[in-house]
Amino acid sequence: QVQLVESGGGLVQAGDSLRLSCAVSGRTFTSYDMGWFRQAPGKEREFVASTNLSGTRTDYADSVKGRFSVSRDNTKRRVYLQMNSLKPEDTAVYYCAADVSGDGSYDSWGQGTQVTVSS
C-alpha cells in the first residue's frame, strides 16, 4: 500500500515558476518508478514527466521539455516537479503517481493539486 500526497500548486502568472512536491508513504520508496500527470478541464489526463527508481533516468512530454524538471529525493521519500516558464495551457490538476507493481503502469495515485496560470 502506497499513499501519495501532492502539494505546491497555486495561482501564478505566465512566465512564473512553481515546484510541486509529492510525499510518499508506505512501501519502500526506492522500489518503483514515479510519474507526474495532469488533467485540464474537459480534457483527458496526460503524462507530464517520470523518473526511474534511482532518479537517473527521466522522461518528459514534448509540451514541457526544457521547462519542467522532475527529481526525487529517496531519503525524504519525495518526488518533485519544477515548473518554469509556465504558460496558461499548463493550467490543470497535477497528479503524482507510482508504478508500485513494476509492470510499467501507474497504479497508485495522489489526490492532485491545482495549478492555474493566468495570462
Side-chain angles (χ1 to χ4, degrees), residues 10-117:
L11 172 63
V12 297
Q13 293 187 332
D16 285 351
S17 297
L18 272 178
R19 188 174 82 153
L20 304 183
S21 178
C22 175
V24 184
S25 60
R27 185 177 161 182
T28 305
F29 183 51
T30 53
S31 300
Y32 37 89
D33 295 350
M34 297 292 300
W36 286 96
F37 292 76
R38 67 186 181 186
Q39 187 168 19
K43 295 186 178 181
E44 294 187 353
R45 186 168 58 193
E46 65 175 359
F47 168 78
V48 176
S50 65
T51 176
N52 67 341
L53 306 178
S54 59
T56 56
R57 187 184 74 245
T58 57
D59 190 22
Y60 298 94
D62 288 343
S63 59
V64 306
K65 279 181 181 177
R67 299 188 299 121
F68 290 12
S69 177
V70 61
S71 62
R72 66 191 293 166
D73 186 333
N74 288 340
T75 61
K76 295 182 178 179
R77 301 176 63 92
R78 285 183 176 266
V79 181
Y80 304 99
L81 184 67
Q82 177 67 43
M83 307 185 294
N84 299 326
S85 302
L86 283 162
K87 304 176 181 180
E89 51 264 44
D90 294 319
T91 295
V93 177
Y94 283 72
Y95 298 90
C96 175
D99 176 12
V100 179
S101 61
D103 64 358
S105 64
Y106 291 93
D107 43 30
S108 291
W109 295 82
Q111 82 289 350
T113 185
Q114 176 70 47
V115 172
T116 303
V117 184

